[in-house]
Amino acid sequence: MKFFRALKALLDSQYALMLEYRVEIALWAVSGLLPLIMLGIWVEVDSSNFVELSNEQITRYFLSAFVVRQFTAVWVMVSFEEDTLEGRIAPFLLQPIIPFWRYFTSHVAEQITRIPIVLLMLIVFFIFLPDTFWIPSLLHILLSLLSIILAFWVRFLIHWCFSMLCFWNERASSIERLLLIPYIFLSGLVAPLNVFPNSVKSIAMFTPYPYLLAFPAQLLSGEKVNIINGFAMLIIWGIIFLCISLFAWNKGLKHYSAMGA
Amino acid sequence: MKDKIITTLKILFSFWKTSIAIDMEYRLNFFVEIVSVIGNLSGSIFVLSLLFGPNTTLGGWSWNDSLIILGLYTILDGFTTSILQPNLSRIVRHVQNGTLDFVLLKPFKSQLWLSLRVISPWGIPAVISGFILIAYSLAVNSRMIQSEMILLGSLMLLSSLIILYSLWFLLSTLSIWFVKVWNTTEVLRSTLVAGRYPVSAYPNFLRIIFTFVLPIAFLTTVPAEAILGGVSNVYFIGSLVFSIFLFTSSILFWRFALRYYTSASS
């Protein structure tokens, strides 16, 4: 019970903090425009002879991908590196709740602040292109919401695991650049998974990436997708990275000696 | 005048020596950077192949020709990693901590200091692989390489480097008013990704934006056309005018912004 009270207090304070930075968050939201740029190019490409998706489906897919990407943004490596380097992590460790929840709530708070900004961007998009407007069914919205939450959880855990490297190396956050590469190319951010050659697609499906973006986006856009498989993979990857992160946290903490020690 | 230039160059050279020495402490980054360049390039080529599908052209560009655009994009990316990112992302910090005062007090042009104070070697892999990709594409095409094309191409590349620099500097200057604009350059970086593909592959609406608002066309497509010897006069002159205009604006805007700089805590 105490834990949930602490969690709520953290979330409240982080939300208040994030509200201070509304303009910044709006800019971050704009920097997630990549799916919409790719939407432009995919719609323009004469793809009728090799893509089974109609232009309408492509539009819906990339718009959904845009939304999913907005609410699964993770930057924990950068803040964690800064905090370990500047020694701020030491007082956090003294608190009766592990720092994991501090970063987690700060991400959740940021995403809550993002909701109106993303809505506004979608409204602008639909004003310019009213033909593309559609409302997903309630079932799809709920399933997609659930998958977005799970996808965020898995992606956060992946980045958290690698953040633990900060206990050993001063510039561990450069690893983030590497983590981003498979995410950009395998998650369905720049091309729908359906157009991948079968060999690449089957390899991609073994990695967590398609489930972090393409799967929730396909649910939201109303495409046919294997729902059970998608959720199962998200849960399996979630458990795997949870175990790794618990192990890495314990190891890292033993290795960590505060700055200057 | 000549003495002044030589002194400036000497100062810059010693700046770069120290900054490279600092970076050498983190040699692991070199490995990270090489893996990241290889990953990004193969990913981009993969996506390009998906966009082509069985078609032979993308927005009027053949496969080999669009590789030149990708190569130019990679070169610009390396330039960003080596010079723009390490220098211009610091302006925000200078304003936040008030250390911009020290920069302004030095008997050295502040814009030059802020833009070229450090140089990071980690962009080199990207620049080299960009050139390799362009050379490969030209070789496969077995195009006759004429000195005129190389000249025009390098001129257009130079012009695109200036445009890119000016855009970054203009946005970073905003930090004088809004302390946290680190994000604006992030917005720029993520939109420039559009430059991986020929501008003609985008719908009309985006094409206009990418030519006149965010000059992505001049960053990669126009230099690629110049290398291939097919750049029209309008775009050639447009690129030069754009780069001169943006560069001058960056200087004037910086001077204008400094008038509003009140240092930290005042």
Side-chain angles (χ1 to χ4, degrees), chain A residues 21 23-34 36-51 69 78 82 86 128-129 169-172 174-178 180-181 184-186 190-192 195-197 200-201, chain B residues 22-23 25-26 28-29 31-33 35-37 39-44 46-47 49-55 58 77 81 93 122 180-184 186-187 189-194 196-198 200-207 210:
Chain A
Y21 290 110
V23 180
E24 254 201 45
I25 292 171
L27 282 172
W28 278 124
V30 175
S31 75
L33 279 179
L34 181 63
L36 297 187
I37 294 175
M38 293 315 293
L39 164 65
I41 206 166
W42 274 106
V43 170
E44 192 71 9
V45 157
D46 178 23
S47 58
S48 47
N49 49 352
F50 65 97
V51 183
R69 167 129 174 80
V78 183
E82 211 176 282
E86 299 186 0
F128 276 103
L129 297 163
N169 189 302
E170 272 177 56
R171 286 200 182 174
S174 60
I175 303 285
E176 197 189 23
R177 285 173 61 100
L178 298 186
L180 213 57
I181 295 171
I184 289 179
F185 296 112
L186 293 182
V190 286
V195 302
F196 279 27
V200 181
K201 192 178 168 186
Chain B
I22 292 173
D23 267 323
E25 225 186 299
Y26 303 97
L28 189 70
N29 269 15
F31 171 72
V32 170
E33 212 48 56
V35 175
S36 134
V37 166
N40 268 319
L41 253 185
S42 37
S44 306
F46 171 61
V47 174
S49 76
L50 293 181
L51 282 168
F52 268 89
N55 299 339
L58 177 70
D77 205 36
T81 312
R93 197 153 283 187
W122 310 141
K180 283 211 165 187
V181 283
W182 183 58
N183 295 306
T184 29
E186 202 54 40
V187 174
R189 213 173 180 177
S190 58
T191 336
L192 293 184
V193 172
R196 279 181 183 161
Y197 314 107
S200 50
Y202 292 96
N204 276 331
F205 164 71
L206 280 176
R207 222 181 293 174
F210 289 161

Side-chain angles (χ1 to χ4, degrees), chain B residues 135-153:
Chain B
Y136 164 80
S137 156
L138 288 175
V140 167
N141 259 358
S142 61
R143 279 177 195 276
M144 290 295 284
I145 298 174
Q146 293 154 349
S147 52
E148 182 192 293
M149 278 143 91
I150 293 178
L151 193 72
L152 282 182

Side-chain angles (χ1 to χ4, degrees), chain B residues 59-71:
Chain B
W61 287 71
S62 73
W63 169 258
N64 279 321
D65 293 353
S66 15
L67 286 184
I68 295 186
I69 295 191
L70 202 55

Side-chain angles (χ1 to χ4, degrees), chain B residues 166-234:
Chain B
S166 310
L167 285 176
W168 266 78
F169 193 78
L170 280 167
L171 281 176
S172 316
T173 305
L174 289 175
S175 57
I176 298 278
W177 289 280
F178 317 102
V179 174
K180 283 211 165 187
V181 283
W182 183 58
N183 295 306
T184 29
T185 51
E186 202 54 40
V187 174
L188 187 65
R189 213 173 180 177
S190 58
T191 336
L192 293 184
V193 172
R196 279 181 183 161
Y197 314 107
V199 168
S200 50
Y202 292 96
N204 276 331
F205 164 71
L206 280 176
R207 222 181 293 174
I208 293 168
I209 291 185
F210 289 161
T211 312
F212 297 106
V213 185
L214 243 168
I216 286 170
F218 295 110
L219 290 181
T220 50
T221 308
V222 174
E225 279 171 348
I227 292 172
L228 293 167
V231 68
S232 72
N233 287 338
V234 181

Side-chain angles (χ1 to χ4, degrees), chain A residues 214-254:
Chain A
F215 173 61
Q218 281 170 325
L219 279 176
L220 194 59
S221 66
E223 251 176 73
K224 273 210 183 90
V225 60
N226 191 337
I227 297 174
I228 296 170
N229 175 50
F231 278 109
M233 286 301 268
L234 276 173
I235 292 169
I236 291 170
W237 280 112
I239 292 172
I240 291 175
F241 279 104
L242 186 67
C243 296
I244 300 176
S245 70
L246 284 173
F247 173 75
W249 171 253
N250 287 329
K251 273 268 181 207
L253 215 53
K254 273 187 198 126

